[in-house]
């Protein structure tokens, strides 16, 4: 919606499991979007689920504050080795101190109106954010131990 590009970056392919496709962003990975760019000071792994409308990044102990960051998106679509999705603004964030919440609600509401998100997309994003919060809270996979093995690939 709106036709704008958002964050782009290259990940190292880690593998596939029942939860989806896993990739590693190493220290120094360049992330860019129109008008901005930076090199990541930390490593992370991202999970692109097979059929769920989100993408989850796990930071392990390298990040001082954020443990898990989940973008509500359209279902990830693959074209060869490239994946794309539409970021729907809502983010579920688990902090290292154990606090858990939904971020960017104000941005979601603004873009919902300005960019004309269809009602079914609005409902999907809100419902999915609620489901992800519950899954993280309960430790439901892939938000439990599954991520640890993939985090172990960082720096290899």
């Amino acid at each position: 919606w709106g036709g704008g590009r958002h964050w782009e970056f290259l990940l190292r392919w880690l593998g596939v499991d029942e939860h989806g496709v896993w990739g590693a962003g190493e220290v120094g990975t360049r992330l860019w979007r129109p008008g901005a760019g930076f090199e990541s000071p930390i490593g992370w792994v991202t999970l692109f689920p097979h059929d769920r409308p989100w993408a989850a990044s796990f930071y392990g102990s390298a990040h001082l504050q954020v443990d898990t960051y989940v973008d509500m998106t359209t279902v990830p679509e693959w074209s060869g080795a490239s994946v794309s999705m539409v970021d729907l603004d809502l983010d579920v964030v688990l902090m290292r101190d154990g606090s858990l919440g939904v971020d960017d609600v104000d941005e979601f509401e603004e873009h919902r109106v300005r960019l004309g998100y269809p009602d079914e997309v609005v409902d999907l994003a809100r419902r999915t954010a609620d489901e992800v919060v519950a899954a993280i809270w309960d430790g439901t996979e892939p938000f439990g131990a599954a991520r640890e093995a993939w985090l172990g690939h960082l720096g290899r």
Side-chain angles (χ1 to χ4, degrees), residues 33-127:
R33 69 175 185 194
F38 69 96
E39 289 185 6
S40 180
I42 60 168
W44 77 97
V45 296
T46 296
L47 169 62
F48 302 98
H50 296 297
D51 59 359
R52 301 295 305 139
W54 48 262
S57 294
F58 302 98
Y59 296 95
S61 60
H63 198 285
L64 297 177
Q65 296 178 347
V66 177
D67 180 86
T68 303
Y69 193 97
V70 186
D71 290 289
M72 300 309 105
T73 67
T74 56
V75 174
E77 294 182 16
W78 290 89
S79 176
S82 294
V83 64
S84 63
M85 65 216 76
V86 176
D87 187 325
L88 297 174
D89 308 310
L90 292 179
D91 306 304
V92 174
V93 183
L94 173 63
M95 303 300 286
R96 184 116 357 251
D97 67 7
S99 59
L100 175 63
V102 179
D103 195 24
D104 294 335
V105 174
D106 54 343
E107 183 179 3
F108 175 74
E109 290 301 323
E110 175 190 330
H111 288 171
R112 178 182 68 81
V113 173
R114 185 165 52 91
L115 299 176
Y117 293 170
D119 290 342
E120 61 272 12
V121 170
V122 171
D123 293 341
L124 177 67
R126 289 177 176 155
R127 184 177 64 252

Side-chain angles (χ1 to χ4, degrees), residues 9-13 22-26 29 44-48 83:
F9 48 92
L10 299 175
L11 297 176
R12 181 170 51 90
W13 176 276
W22 295 82
E26 304 292 346
T29 296
W44 77 97
V45 296
T46 296
L47 169 62
F48 302 98
V83 64

